[in-house]
Amino acid sequence: MRDAREQPDDAPVAAAQQEHWQRTYARHPLMYGMEPSEPARYAAGLFRASGCRTVLELGAGHGRDALFFARQGFTVHATDFSSVGLEQLVAAAREAGVADRVTTVVHDVRDPLPFADASVDAVFAHMLLCMALSTEHIHAALAEIARVLRPGGTLVYTVRHTGDAHYGVGTAHGDHIHESGGFAVHFFDRRLVDSLASDDWHLKQVHAFEEGELPRRLWRVTQVRGA
């Protein structure tokens, strides 16, 4: 991991991104539809096989994956830094009849997680860690995820990587962060993925896949919290 003094100050970019997502969700309610992502389908099967009951979703947005997990019988804690997105999630959970299995909290992933140590069975984060976050903040987020996961708990996360067509396009903010079309992305290289799976983790799988019309090129990473 690079020295913290070499990290760019991501606070202004992150603040602008939070405002951007608030406006985007307000203008385009349920913008990603209600069908779950393929990574969520994969994660649900993995979580079920491991006997998981509680899932923490980071960066849940308006909740298409959180609602899917709830419909699969999991208790879901959903976080996002967009209150607008989470309001849409709560309304959709009520309509789907799963509100009793879903809780939400507005949270910036750069801050400590508002959950007790070893309090969840699994964590899911679809394209959250590749938002406008410095490498330092990404490592801090993984440490927090390790803290709240029970020993043997599973983390599944997805990130856009440096093989993506948008890598290097648009405004460069340093630390592999590039902004294009109003969206800032931290593009991962394999070295970063491997570094995030050190210490308290066992890296199980790094799966390459594509999503969307561009298409976005991503990695789906599965790792397990050590004892």
Side-chain angles (χ1 to χ4, degrees), residues 21-172:
W21 280 103
Q22 289 277 70
R23 291 193 304 269
T24 299
Y25 283 129
R27 292 172 181 169
H28 307 284
L30 306 180
M31 61 184 289
Y32 293 111
M34 297 309 295
E35 288 298 311
S37 67
E38 285 305 312
R41 294 181 186 275
Y42 160 82
L46 195 65
F47 297 163
R48 189 181 301 106
S50 67
C52 167
R53 294 183 178 181
T54 58
V55 175
L56 169 60
E57 183 180 359
L58 304 176
H62 65 69
R64 61 172 178 155
D65 290 336
L67 294 174
F68 171 70
F69 291 135
R71 290 196 301 270
Q72 295 296 304
F74 299 106
T75 296
V76 183
H77 305 299
T79 76
D80 200 275
F81 69 179
S82 171
S83 59
V84 175
L86 292 180
E87 287 166 5
Q88 294 172 13
L89 190 166
V90 169
R94 288 198 196 101
E95 185 175 343
V98 295
D100 61 326
R101 290 201 292 273
V102 178
T103 60
T104 63
V105 60
V106 177
H107 176 259
D108 187 326
V109 74
R110 295 174 299 163
D111 298 328
L113 287 166
F115 300 98
D117 295 359
S119 58
V120 300
D121 298 322
V123 177
F124 178 76
H126 184 28
M127 288 199 292
L128 172 72
L129 296 176
C130 62
M131 300 292 282
L133 303 169
S134 69
T135 298
E136 190 76 12
H137 278 130
I138 293 168
H139 275 272
L142 261 290
E144 276 295 287
I145 292 169
R147 179 184 66 79
V148 303
L149 258 181
R150 295 190 178 99
T154 301
L155 164 65
V156 175
Y157 72 87
T158 67
V159 289
R160 294 172 75 175
H161 58 70
T162 52
D164 189 277
H166 277 176
Y167 178 60
V169 174
T171 303

